[in-house]
Amino acid sequence: VHPSLSKQERKALCRLMDSRKLSAEASIHATHNERLPIRAVIQVIFSEHNKLSQHLDWSGSFNGSRSPNASLEQPMRCVSKREATAQQAEIRKLRED
């Protein structure tokens, strides 16, 4: 959006960004943005990884099972269309990488 920013200015701006609060769409955009510093991209990817890990831990806590195959079991709640779309986009991204 701001091609005239220097590398130092982009780094300073990215330090203000809280990758934990980004939406799934914004996270995907950030990981594909070549102008973002690598550190910012890694923080976004790490944040998304943590969100997915917490989601898996949370979904497994209801049935008392913490097995590695917990994701194959019947989910305790319905996933919204928005969450499903975000998860599918993340899976596509991981497959591409």
Side-chain angles (χ1 to χ4, degrees):
V1 175
H2 304 284
S4 62
L5 290 178
S6 69
K7 186 176 183 178
Q8 295 296 0
E9 291 170 325
R10 281 195 307 264
K11 284 183 179 181
L13 188 60
C14 286
R15 281 189 209 113
L16 299 174
M17 183 175 66
D18 187 355
S19 59
R20 295 173 295 171
K21 295 183 179 180
L22 293 178
S23 67
E25 295 84 12
S27 294
I28 291 170
H29 176 73
T31 58
H32 286 82
N33 190 338
E34 295 177 1
R35 289 183 275 164
L36 282 179
I38 297 295
R39 180 180 297 249
V41 174
I42 290 172
Q43 286 176 339
V44 169
I45 292 171
F46 183 73
S47 176
E48 286 300 311
H49 173 75
N50 282 341
K51 287 177 190 175
L52 288 172
S53 295
Q54 289 174 356
H55 177 72
L56 290 175
D57 287 345
W58 183 76
S59 65
S61 65
F62 285 108
N63 57 16
S65 169
R66 297 240 178 221
S67 68
N69 295 327
S71 62
L72 300 176
E73 297 171 4
Q74 184 72 17
M76 295 303 290
R77 67 178 186 89
C78 294
V79 179
S80 71
K81 185 173 181 177
R82 183 180 207 182
E83 289 174 314
T85 304
Q87 289 172 354
Q88 289 171 355
E90 183 68 23
I91 290 169
R92 269 188 254 115
K93 168 75 172 101
L94 292 171
R95 284 182 182 157
E96 291 173 5
D97 290 343

